[in-house]
Amino acid sequence: MSIIKKPIVTEKATSLNEKGQYAFEVERTANKVEIKKEIEKLYGVTVVGISTIRSQGKLKSRFTKTGAVTGRRASSKKAIVTVKDGDVIDFYSGI
């Protein structure tokens, strides 16, 4: 199974593309070395730096006839990958 779950394509993450930075959702157990190897293998680019962000899942609750039901969304981990100048990752090439 791949360490990279999916690229993050939001307005904020897309604005980072102009600086040569790309955002990905990754497995929670992945470290920076594994992420770097996977990105270089998948996209054929040279990775210069990686920043990782761990976020805890939001607490959710709803009220039903039988009482309050509480739960939590899944926690996630994001990686902001900086590639070498001139290298580009094109997420839309396969569409």
Side-chain angles (χ1 to χ4, degrees):
M1 191 162 116
S2 179
I3 294 170
I4 310 294
K5 289 184 179 178
K6 63 181 179 180
I8 298 173
V9 189
T10 60
E11 187 174 354
K12 191 172 186 177
T14 305
S15 67
L16 293 173
N17 295 354
E18 298 167 5
K19 296 188 242 176
Q21 295 181 330
Y22 299 90
F24 295 92
E25 186 174 334
V26 297
E27 290 288 331
R28 289 197 57 206
T29 58
N31 60 32
K32 291 182 181 185
V33 175
E34 293 172 338
I35 295 168
K36 180 179 179 178
K37 287 179 185 176
E38 188 79 19
I39 295 290
E40 289 178 343
K41 187 177 80 173
L42 279 175
Y43 296 104
V45 295
T46 304
V47 176
V48 177
I50 296 178
S51 300
T52 56
I53 305 158
R54 291 181 62 181
S55 62
Q56 191 171 10
K58 286 184 177 179
L59 188 64
K60 295 295 217 174
S61 63
R62 68 174 186 261
F63 299 96
T64 62
K65 286 191 253 183
T66 59
V69 177
T70 60
R72 185 176 288 276
R73 283 190 184 167
S75 299
S76 64
K77 186 173 189 177
K78 293 187 266 186
I80 308 295
V81 178
T82 305
V83 297
K84 190 174 83 172
D85 288 340
D87 285 352
V88 177
I89 296 175
D90 188 16
F91 296 132
Y92 304 108
S93 63
I95 297 176

